[in-house]
Amino acid sequence: MERNARGHRLIQSAANPVIKRARSLREKKHRKSEGLFLAEGLRILTEAREAGSLPQQLFYAEDRPGHPLAEELITATLAAGGEVVATSEDILSKLSGKDNPQTLIGLYPDRLTPLADLDRHAAPIWLVVQAMRDPGNLGTMLRTGDAVGAGGLILIDDCVDPFSVETVRASMGALFTQQISTARWPDFISWLRSGPGTLVGTSLAPGTVDYREPAYPAPTFILIGNEARGLPDDYEAACDVRVKMPMHGKADSLNAAVAAAVMAYQVLDRQERG
Amino acid sequence: MERNARGHRLIQSAANPVIKRARSLREKKHRKSEGLFLAEGLRILTEAREAGSLPQQLFYAEDRPGHPLAEELITATLAAGGEVVATSEDILSKLSGKDNPQTLIGLYPDRLTPLADLDRHAAPIWLVVQAMRDPGNLGTMLRTGDAVGAGGLILIDDCVDPFSVETVRASMGALFTQQISTARWPDFISWLRSGPGTLVGTSLAPGTVDYREPAYPAPTFILIGNEARGLPDDYEAACDVRVKMPMHGKADSLNAAVAAAVMAYQVLDRQERG
């Protein structure tokens, strides 16, 4: 095994199996079979470290000057038993799929928590998404969840992979601060009803109240439906509260990540006001 | 000129100058020189029509069954003196840059309003963005603006083009309900100070107040800074109110379109409560 002057493993060929394996994690099927995913960039990897996650493998650009935070990441990764790999900017570019790659890429074990292991009392707000299709929306929701102090994100039905490169990027590292579970709807409902919790759905159906009215006791679960179709009727019916936001425009809709954020800040406000 | 059975101009070659010109509008320089842009899809074109905008040219897929709303668009476009062009799905695909193109694509005159012509009293909320770089964020903000009944969006400094295909798509048609102006910062400030208006900046600087405190009298202008850098210090200093949103997480940041939406709904709430 080739090593650089610092004693780190040095890989200069994109054909190296270590690189090929890391690159394969850009595809969902390989992430799933390996239970690993990629995160990129000094900022996101530092957020991950601060949230207690260190990479199994950390790739850095051999010929780029090291930032002090990058050095801290290298030290911490080695101390935790991970491997540090020095490589070229060109190979990092291949891993990230971007022309101007980040100078650091980490390979992390996926962060799925079984629903049964979620501690609903650990946070006053939880986000629940149904058939969410856009990785940018999902990442943005994770970022919002972190900002409002949510406990995590529960994915119902066929959602986009929360560990895709695009989601991790849009989350700006918040992926590492949020618990993430996936569940089928009946399993989610039976878990939810096994303890305290208010399920809130955004809706335009009859029987909805203005989103500023309910008290939203903790823990409140905010349910957001698919970008194009919204929530299925029976999912709405299962909610404890159905709320609507004012719509003064012609288009009568909000982006899903925006709706989640406006709801989450409203819930936080009501909970803080008590 | 070839015509189909309905009497519409029929174009079956991607080399036709009409197609080449429409396709060129995918690039900013051609949009700018022609003063035209593209919008795609039945839903967005219908929103545009309801907001009073009809395309100069309307392209539809000759061999796809027509939706009643598509027929209405065809009739209204012709009645307003526009041209309707029947073409192939393959050519629509080239125009839209997507494999599964929308069945309708319209070519519209750009919607820039000179700042001096904006009527600030026409709406209680206005969005102002500085150096916004992401077309999805910009489109999402237009959609939010429509939902809260904002009057429009003012773009400061070097922003992404509001008439890009990606922005129009993310706006879901709200682009056509919002007035859009571009301005240099000093010109914006001198226009703003020539009449009533409260300029609100989101900030983490000293002297900020919780975003739920101010009264936000109409018209309120919500200023959102660049995704990565936020607002320049002197722009913040020029704001009448500097507010912060609660941040309970580790990452201490929100997506720009999310921050705009949470602020806009808060302003709307305060204005509605009087």
Side-chain angles (χ1 to χ4, degrees), chain A residues 146-147 212 246 248-249 251 265 269 272, chain B residues 146-147 246 248-249 251 265 269 272:
Chain A
D146 177 68
R212 291 162 289 195
H248 293 298
Y265 267 93
D269 178 42
E272 286 186 353
Chain B
D146 178 67
H248 293 298
Y265 267 93
D269 179 42
E272 285 186 355

Side-chain angles (χ1 to χ4, degrees), chain B residues 209-243:
Chain B
V209 297
D210 186 282
Y211 80 122
R212 290 161 290 195
E213 282 182 26
Y216 303 119
T220 280
F221 295 80
I222 300 171
L223 176 61
I224 302 287
N226 171 268
E227 289 96 337
R229 296 183 306 273
L231 289 171
D233 288 347
D234 54 329
Y235 290 33
E236 275 193 14
C239 291
D240 299 295
V241 193
R242 281 165 293 283
V243 296

Side-chain angles (χ1 to χ4, degrees), chain A residues 43 47 140 143-144 146-149 211-212 246-255 258 261-262 265 268-269 272, chain B residues 43 47 140 143-144 146-149 211-212 246-251 253-255 258 261-262 265 268-269 272:
Chain A
R43 175 169 172 178
E47 296 283 358
T140 299
R143 192 173 171 190
T144 301
D146 177 68
V148 297
Y211 81 122
R212 291 162 289 195
M247 291 284 165
H248 293 298
K250 299 198 171 74
D252 215 30
S253 77
L254 286 173
N255 166 275
V258 158
V262 173
Y265 267 93
L268 179 65
D269 178 42
E272 286 186 353
Chain B
R43 175 169 171 178
E47 296 282 358
T140 299
R143 193 173 172 189
T144 300
D146 178 67
V148 298
Y211 80 122
R212 290 161 290 195
M247 291 282 165
H248 293 298
K250 299 199 170 75
S253 77
L254 286 173
N255 166 276
V258 158
V262 173
Y265 267 93
L268 179 65
D269 179 42
E272 285 186 355

Side-chain angles (χ1 to χ4, degrees), chain A residues 173-195:
Chain A
L175 179 86
F176 293 95
T177 73
Q178 298 289 292
Q179 300 225 56
I180 297 168
S181 292
T182 61
R184 293 186 320 123
W185 178 249
D187 298 333
F188 168 69
I189 288 294
S190 86
W191 172 81
L192 179 73
R193 298 311 179 199
S194 70

